[in-house]
Amino acid sequence: MIALPDSDSEDELPPGWEERATDDGTVCYVNQQSKTSQWTHPRTGRSKRITGELPIGWEKYYDEQSRRFMFLNKETQQRTNVDPRLAFAVEEPTQDVTRVRQRFDSCSTALQVLHGKDLHGRIALITGANCGIGFETARSLAQHGCEIIFACRNKVSAEAAIERIAQERPAARSRCRFVALDLSSLLSVKKFVTEIKESVSHIDYLILNAGVFALPYTKTEDGLETTFQVSHLSHFYLTLQLETLFDYKTRIVVLSSESHRFANLPVENLAVHHLSPPPEKFWSMMAYNNAKLCNVLFAQELAQRWKQRGISVFSVHPGNMVSTDLSRNYWFYRLLFAIVRPFTKSLQQAAATSIYCATANELTGLSGLYFNNCFFCEPSKLSKSASLQRQLWDVSENLLKELVQ
């Protein structure tokens, strides 16, 4: 084992080492002192690859005098034998999540996760993108060239959110658009899907961000308890209806919460009344906990069912008591969220895990995982019950058969 000097960054090469790129894009590491080379990073032990086209203004040519390929920056006339794409080389993906190196943590922001990424040509559909974590997710992706579909109920709020993004990055205005979606109405979901299928042929990132918290007991127009329908059933319906727009390049991210660990759904004989309880058995906090458990159960079952298609599905915890509009329905929670605000994540930090799961190259080929602070985390024992995952799927499917004409 070679003793390496201390460094603040795992990616930093030790003295005497340099990166080179082969013609097929594989990165190799050359030790100038020992005159040896290897395919893995001397610190991390991981292999890397460069992808994509050369940066704008650069060209590659063969130099007859030195008999090797060179790179020319046509604007500055700088010439080098180092491929400029090496700065954005990415680690080769692994099929073992335990081998994924943690690059970000609870302090990381969405924009830090996206550093160096070019998302032009990608399409993201984000529910609840007009405010809070959803807005920061949309804003961050849009700044890196991604086209954003704002799937929201409130048109005025969504258009104001798009205007805020355009003020920061005028070119992003043409990449952001609002499409009406009311998750408390299955009919609205159906209309939304029809409009989306008429306008796009592929979705790269489906981010199921919208949800409700601390609602008093209310029913939707479909006759179901609102927290359950908005946070789970409508997202379940939306995802299945958009299936033809997904392929192996698609990532589906379901926002859950650590609150899923306090859910009380039964392991056996799950029924509608457990998910959408009557008024006398309703408690808003437990309804939220159960809905967040449904998010994890759904993500894991969907990952299994679509595994052969190569579609990656992840559920995430964005952060504890992040200051958003989620607490707007009850004065006590508004007060509590305000008190803890200095000690919780910012919206940029809260959006980081969703962004990471949607875009991280090292997660290619992985699916059905739960993430917290941009890293894999074991979900609750109840959420890993294959039986409960199947039961929730069956109950949800049967409900849709009854309610959707």
Side-chain angles (χ1 to χ4, degrees), residues 154-172:
N154 189 323
K155 182 178 180 180
V156 173
S157 178
E159 290 181 343
I162 293 172
E163 182 59 31
R164 285 174 61 192
I165 292 172
Q167 287 176 359
E168 286 186 322
R169 190 69 58 89

Side-chain angles (χ1 to χ4, degrees), residues 36-60:
T36 59
S37 62
Q38 61 190 56
W39 296 111
T40 55
H41 194 290
R43 286 190 186 278
T44 67
R46 309 290 169 79
S47 56
K48 283 187 174 183
R49 177 176 293 275
I50 56 174
T51 58
E53 301 296 324
L54 287 169
I56 296 173
W58 285 84
E59 67 176 26
K60 181 180 179 181

Side-chain angles (χ1 to χ4, degrees), residues 18-39:
E18 64 179 53
E19 289 180 318
R20 300 277 178 83
T22 62
D23 289 341
D24 68 355
T26 304
V27 177
C28 66
Y29 300 88
V30 179
N31 188 321
Q32 298 290 1
Q33 295 173 341
S34 63
K35 304 301 181 184
T36 59
S37 62
Q38 61 190 56
W39 296 111

